[in-house]
Amino acid sequence: MQPVRIAPSILSADFAKLGEEVRAIDAAGADWIHIDVMDGHFVPNISFGPAVMKSVRGVTTKPFDVHLMISPVDAYLDAFAEAGADCITVHYEAGPHIHRSLQHIKGLGKRAGVVICPGTPAKMLDYLMDMVDLVLVMSVNPGFGGQSFIPSQLKKISAIRNMIEKSGRAIDLEVDGGVDAEWAKRCVEAGADALVAGTSVFRGGPDHYAANIAALRG
């Protein structure tokens, strides 16, 4: 396994100074910048689109880890690729043709990720492991920040880690939702090598970001 990567979610940033916030988490040691895109349809919240993401693309060279909580998703893949996404992750549950969506992302020259919600079993990934670069396990129901980690997802993380090892491919295993320092440790022990965190990174303001990220690394 690779060393754990920390991907702060800018959903928890101060939107009035988003560029400054992205610079601050970059300087504080973030490995990736996690972009949570929500449409008010697939999930009960609305965040932002490719124009906002593009506006902060120039303030950091860190990879943009783009999590699309939107349905239908295919029509928007080109726009997020053009706005500067490095990895585009789409939900298994968001449409009938996940394989086609992943093919589209790969065709755009981007890393392709698949997300599964808490109620979706790991076996749904069986016929996707040959083409994904990242699997994202939601450890809360998507749509809002600040939720509590769902403990049953640890077993799913372990199951997916075993699937990755059997595939023989270099696939990142990311966890998103309610990840604080204690849950981060348990996620890594279960097999995760990338962690999304919003509230636990941005808590306390910029002077605390480096310590918050360090705590997640354990």
Side-chain angles (χ1 to χ4, degrees):
M1 283 176 56
Q2 306 179 65
V4 65
R5 274 71 48 80
I6 305 299
S9 170
I10 64 171
L11 190 64
S12 296
D14 181 346
F15 279 24
K17 47 184 180 180
L18 189 55
E20 295 173 39
E21 290 276 69
V22 172
R23 287 190 185 94
I25 57 174
D26 182 339
D31 298 291
W32 302 340
I33 310 299
H34 191 77
I35 314 288
D36 281 312
V37 180
M38 300 185 286
D39 65 356
H41 170 68
F42 178 65
V43 293
N45 201 358
I46 297 174
S47 58
F48 42 76
V52 171
M53 191 183 97
K54 185 177 182 179
S55 73
V56 295
R57 176 65 278 189
V59 307
T60 178
T61 60
K62 296 289 174 68
F64 271 16
D65 176 34
V66 181
H67 175 195
L68 298 182
M69 290 171 271
I70 60 178
S71 178
V73 70
D74 289 1
Y76 300 95
L77 296 175
D78 290 60
F80 282 98
E82 292 167 5
D86 294 285
C87 180
I88 300 176
T89 306
V90 294
H91 272 263
Y92 176 90
E93 308 88 356
H97 305 298
I98 182 64
H99 199 279
R100 178 182 294 161
S101 301
L102 294 169
Q103 285 179 316
H104 191 153
I105 296 167
K106 300 288 273 189
L108 292 168
K110 306 298 180 180
R111 300 180 74 236
V114 62
V115 197
I116 54 175
C117 290
T120 301
K123 67 181 180 181
M124 297 304 185
L125 302 171
D126 280 351
Y127 297 99
L128 301 175
M129 298 299 285
D130 62 335
M131 67 183 307
V132 297
D133 301 298
L134 179 146
V135 174
L136 173 54
V137 175
M138 291 302 301
S139 45
V140 299
N141 289 297
F144 296 96
Q147 299 184 67
S148 297
F149 190 98
I150 299 174
S152 64
Q153 300 311 294
L154 291 173
K155 181 178 179 181
K156 187 188 294 183
I157 294 165
S158 295
I160 296 171
R161 170 52 57 192
N162 289 334
M163 294 170 71
I164 290 172
E165 297 301 325
K166 289 178 181 177
S167 78
R169 299 186 64 244
I171 300 171
D172 295 313
L173 178 49
E174 188 173 36
V175 182
D176 183 0
V179 178
D180 58 16
E182 182 57 35
W183 284 115
K185 178 182 178 182
R186 296 181 67 179
C187 287
V188 172
E189 289 172 348
D193 54 21
L195 303 172
V196 177
T199 304
S200 58
V201 166
F202 287 93
R203 182 181 292 115
D207 290 344
H208 296 269
Y209 294 170
N212 293 344
I213 289 173
L216 290 169
R217 292 193 198 282

